[in-house]
Amino acid sequence: MSSAHPHRLILFSSRQYDADTFCQANESFGVELDFREAHLDAQTAILAQGFTAVCPFVNDLVDAAVLEKLHAGGTRLVALRSAGFNHVDLHAAKRLGIAVTRVPAYSPHAVAEHAAGMILTLNRRLHRAVARTREGDFSLNGLLGFDLYGKTVGVVGTGIIGRTFGKIMAGFGMQVLAYDPGPPATDLLERGARYVALDELLANSDVVSLHCPLLPATYHMIDERALASMKRGAMLINTGRGGLVESNALIGALKSGQLGHLGLDVYEEEGGLFFEDHSDHLLQDDVLARLLTFPNVIITAHQAFFTREALIEIASTTLGNLIAWANGTPRNLVDAPAA
Ligand code: NAI
């Protein structure tokens, strides 16, 4: 690592809340920060000229072409301000000698609590109830929910977020089924969770919640076949990554009643839409537009991470990752998977 400016960081796709929390966290780091609203792509990579460290967000495309441009401009570190890293071509980064760091755990509670909030909202139709009472409609028809107590929740991926979520739902008195190819989480086992195969989880859960990373192996893990194998009328929650679910297949499953409720915080084609106000534009994505018409579907725009505590932790870990890397003691590195 060699650089004239080891402590300068350019942040792409940044909003006022990023600037606020990074500036607050930076009081203990003293890094020179440059906030840009632009997405990082092959056109905007030029803005990073002279910055050894670049900080993209989840919908910035950090592919080989972008990395090559960043490298030519002197960038040697991609300091992600996210846990997920599916938007980075790690092989290209490795080939170019660009280190990639991430924020592995900032607030598992933020995401887990948002998933729990989606379940309560869908089950008790809170989104519809609030809209009704505002219009002076105090009727209850169509708002009938079910007790979570005694029902079964399936947790797909029991890493830091999934296990936190599983414990919250165990607190409601739900039976927890878990699936993870890695070792089981002992704290979940202590709450009575049972690890089963994915097929068994899907077939037996009243609520299925996705908490695994987007990898080639998990792309479209919830497709038409998986939806058909779920309990009729079950609820699906995705706060993981949009690509885990085949969006087109959701529409048929919702129309037939096979899928009873759907909560999405992430969407396959969210790039270019989420995090921005498009209310004055016609929505061009027909699948998303159709999903938004179902009364038993709620969609939030990738906001599960969005708590004060999480933002501060993201900022301080990202800046700490930069300083550690600049001092030759890198941490929270993301390695390219074996080819
Ligand atoms: P983590 O790395 O602690 O846990 C991921 C777990 O998924 C691991 O236990 C891993 O073994 C498991 N896994 C891997 N392949 C799997 C498969 N094929 N099926 C089931 N499980 C599998 O990650 P963490 O922090 O719990 O985050 C999980 C995901 O949540 C992230 O990868 C990210 O995509 C998403 N996320 C979403 C946010 C939002 O705002 N909506 C915010 C933060 C993370």
Side-chain angles (χ1 to χ4, degrees), residues 237-303:
I237 303 291
N238 187 10
T239 58
R241 280 290 180 270
L244 298 174
V245 177
E246 189 186 355
S247 313
N248 254 320
L250 293 169
I251 293 172
L254 285 161
K255 281 168 78 175
S256 69
Q258 168 61 17
L259 188 59
H261 313 264
L262 173 67
L264 299 180
D265 184 55
V266 286
Y267 174 64
E268 276 193 282
E269 304 296 333
E270 70 180 54
L273 271 179
F274 283 15
F275 308 119
E276 276 152 44
D277 180 1
H278 290 274
S279 55
D280 278 341
H281 308 141
L282 296 176
L283 188 52
Q284 298 298 318
D285 184 323
D286 291 348
V287 174
L288 181 59
R290 182 68 178 99
L291 287 174
L292 286 165
T293 66
F294 291 96
N296 50 348
V297 172
I298 56 170
I299 298 179
T300 52
H302 208 138
Q303 76 174 77

Side-chain angles (χ1 to χ4, degrees), residues 57-58 80-85 102-112 160-161 164 239-241 265-266 275 302-318 321 332:
F57 197 44
V58 289
L80 302 175
R81 57 181 193 279
S82 58
F85 48 84
R102 68 174 183 131
V103 186
Y106 40 89
S107 170
H109 309 290
V111 184
I160 302 165
I161 295 170
T164 305
T239 58
R241 280 290 180 270
D265 184 55
V266 286
F275 308 119
H302 208 138
Q303 76 174 77
F305 74 100
F306 200 54
T307 66
R308 272 191 292 278
E309 292 78 2
L311 286 192
I312 279 291
E313 192 58 36
I314 287 169
S316 54
T317 304
T318 305
N321 288 345
N332 295 325

